[in-house]
Amino acid sequence: MKVIERLNQAEKPLFTFELLPPPKGADITKLYDSIGKLIEFNPAYVNITYHQQEEVFKKRPDGLLEKQIVRKRPGTVAISAAIKYKYGVDVVPHIICGGFTKEETENALIDLNFLGIKNLLVLRGDPPKNQRYFTPETGGHQYAIDLLKQIVNLNEGRYLDETIQNSSATDFCVGVAGYPEKHIEAPNMKTDLQHLKEKVDAGADYVVTQMFFDNQKYFDFVENCRNIGIEVPIIPGMKPITTLSDVKLLPKVFSIDIPEDLSCELDKCKTNEDAWQVGIEWSVKQSKQLVEFGVPSLHYYTIGRADNIREIAKNIF
Ligand code: FAD
């Protein structure tokens, strides 16, 4: 079923979560273990992230460094299909601009369509780790909206090769990302919201937010979106704090605030286990308040950890 149909039919907030494909060299069982811990809470769908290739420098026998391009977490399409058919649950693979030409993207979309996967989360992707700015692949897309438009075209039966006749149309339901605390590169909130509106006007069915730890930021974001005519469901994305270092790392990487109350609680923690527990408690509190607010769904970023999401889900679903 399409995500938007699930959201429209839901009588109470849906439970959904996001998984990372295993790193190259690992097998899929750890991912299945994570799903096994969460499946009893009846997830409406499961998201699978996409990771673009990175440049790594490897030492050659002569001592010089050689640049190599590697994709550390391949397999999003195959993993999505494996999960869909093993658990009978809908999946939402992420599709990104970074590292792909339009032709490669079209071929991936054709594969997904043949696999019966009807839901996508469409993103630009971050710059690779050692690059400051996002650069599209030659013949690829600059912004998520450009990729979204390619999918909308395919949903209307328009492929890149315009000479294809009697083409079959796809029927993808598409989500896009939104940022309650502004995207890191956006000059200001107003401009960022305008770009989000452009994605929705171009055909996005719903929005999933970046993680946040202060619900007020989400409430204000929803209000600001509604004020400029963004009417689609806005799903809050949440990640519990897992380690002591999160308090410094998350604001730096995602350009988000850690509220004072939470950072005070974390200051009292002596070990990562303490921080893990604070993370669960904060997330339960956040989730309960979001449910009261009437969110359509609660979406959790597992980042490879499912035990904490299980504890939160036990309290909410
Ligand atoms: P865009 O919507 O293209 O926006 C990027 C920036 O450009 C913003 O500052 C925006 O304001 C600006 N902008 C947009 N349109 C225009 C325009 N026409 N002209 C000028 N400026 C414009 N990354 C991954 O690599 N893989 C994943 O699986 C992944 N999953 C994610 C899931 C969620 C829910 C979220 C919130 C993020 C995820 N990301 C993922 C990270 C995401 O790729 C980055 O945040 C990325 O930097 C921006 O992606 P976007 O789709 O929001 O980009």
Side-chain angles (χ1 to χ4, degrees):
M1 193 191 262
K2 288 182 178 181
V3 167
I4 191 65
E5 290 165 0
R6 288 250 170 206
L7 292 166
N8 288 340
Q9 288 172 18
E11 285 166 4
K12 56 185 176 109
L14 304 174
F15 167 61
T16 66
F17 58 91
E18 173 186 295
L19 294 169
L20 272 65
K24 192 176 271 185
D27 72 17
I28 200 169
T29 49
K30 198 167 165 240
L31 205 70
Y32 289 157
D33 287 347
S34 294
I35 300 172
K37 289 174 184 162
L38 300 173
I39 201 80
E40 71 181 82
F41 304 104
N42 206 10
Y45 52 89
V46 177
N47 281 52
I48 318 293
T49 57
Y50 213 113
H51 298 262
Q52 82 158 295
Q53 51 201 20
E54 292 171 34
E55 286 177 357
V56 292
F57 291 88
K58 295 215 168 136
K59 210 170 193 179
R60 298 193 320 204
D62 62 8
L64 294 175
L65 292 176
E66 186 177 271
K67 187 166 89 176
Q68 288 184 4
I69 305 290
V70 292
R71 189 182 301 282
K72 290 187 176 164
R73 291 180 187 270
T76 299
V77 171
I79 287 165
S80 300
I83 293 173
K84 177 177 168 68
Y85 292 108
K86 182 175 167 68
Y87 296 95
V89 66
D90 282 316
V91 286
V92 184
H94 295 188
I95 297 286
I96 61 172
C97 306
F100 294 96
T101 64
K102 292 174 199 163
E103 176 77 16
E104 286 164 340
T105 295
E106 184 173 88
N107 293 339
L109 293 169
I110 290 169
D111 285 349
L112 288 164
N113 190 40
F114 287 160
L115 287 163
I117 293 172
K118 301 284 178 206
N119 293 294
L120 306 167
L121 188 68
V122 168
L123 304 138
R124 188 196 68 180
D126 280 320
K129 275 201 181 89
N130 49 355
Q131 286 172 28
R132 276 184 85 179
Y133 302 106
F134 176 84
T135 320
E137 199 67 12
T138 309
H141 295 296
Q142 170 77 52
Y143 294 112
I145 191 171
D146 306 321
L147 173 52
L148 172 70
K149 285 179 181 168
Q150 182 177 4
I151 296 164
V152 170
N153 281 341
L154 220 55
N155 278 350
E156 290 167 359
R158 277 184 282 141
Y159 289 68
L160 293 173
D161 177 354
E162 288 167 4
T163 62
I164 296 178
Q165 290 191 346
N166 301 321
S167 57
S168 125
T170 56
D171 188 20
F172 289 114
C173 166
V174 180
V176 291
Y179 301 83
E181 297 176 64
K182 186 181 89 56
H183 182 255
I184 194 164
E185 294 162 30
N188 55 65
M189 194 61 172
K190 196 173 169 200
T191 311
D192 205 25
L193 280 171
Q194 204 46 50
H195 290 139
L196 178 60
K197 179 156 189 319
E198 285 161 12
K199 290 193 279 191
V200 173
D201 291 347
D205 294 291
Y206 63 99
V207 175
V208 189
T209 76
Q210 180 58 280
M211 67 182 78
F212 55 90
F213 292 92
D214 176 356
N215 283 349
Q216 194 55 49
K217 308 251 184 200
Y218 169 81
F219 301 147
D220 293 345
F221 177 70
V222 173
E223 192 183 342
N224 291 334
C225 286
R226 300 305 181 221
N227 285 342
I228 61 161
I230 298 174
E231 303 289 353
V232 297
I234 300 175
I235 299 170
M238 275 183 294
K239 182 200 121 56
I241 295 279
T242 52
T243 63
L244 288 168
S245 59
D246 275 356
V247 72
K248 285 198 179 120
L249 193 75
L250 298 176
K252 189 167 169 227
V253 175
F254 297 104
S255 187
I256 53 170
D257 274 358
I258 304 286
E260 214 179 309
D261 288 359
L262 177 55
S263 68
C264 283
E265 285 304 309
L266 291 167
D267 282 347
K268 291 182 212 155
C269 296
K270 294 198 169 47
T271 63
N272 280 336
E273 287 70 35
D274 297 340
W276 173 272
Q277 199 49 43
V278 167
I280 292 172
E281 284 161 18
W282 188 270
S283 214
V284 168
K285 205 166 79 176
Q286 250 194 300
S287 303
K288 284 185 175 166
Q289 201 189 17
L290 288 164
V291 170
E292 266 173 42
F293 178 76
V295 294
S297 175
L298 290 161
H299 183 67
Y300 296 92
Y301 301 111
T302 66
I303 326 245
R305 320 287 288 268
D307 291 320
N308 50 353
I309 309 297
R310 183 180 162 77
E311 286 310 306
I312 297 159
K314 273 195 220 165
N315 281 277
I316 308 293
F317 298 99

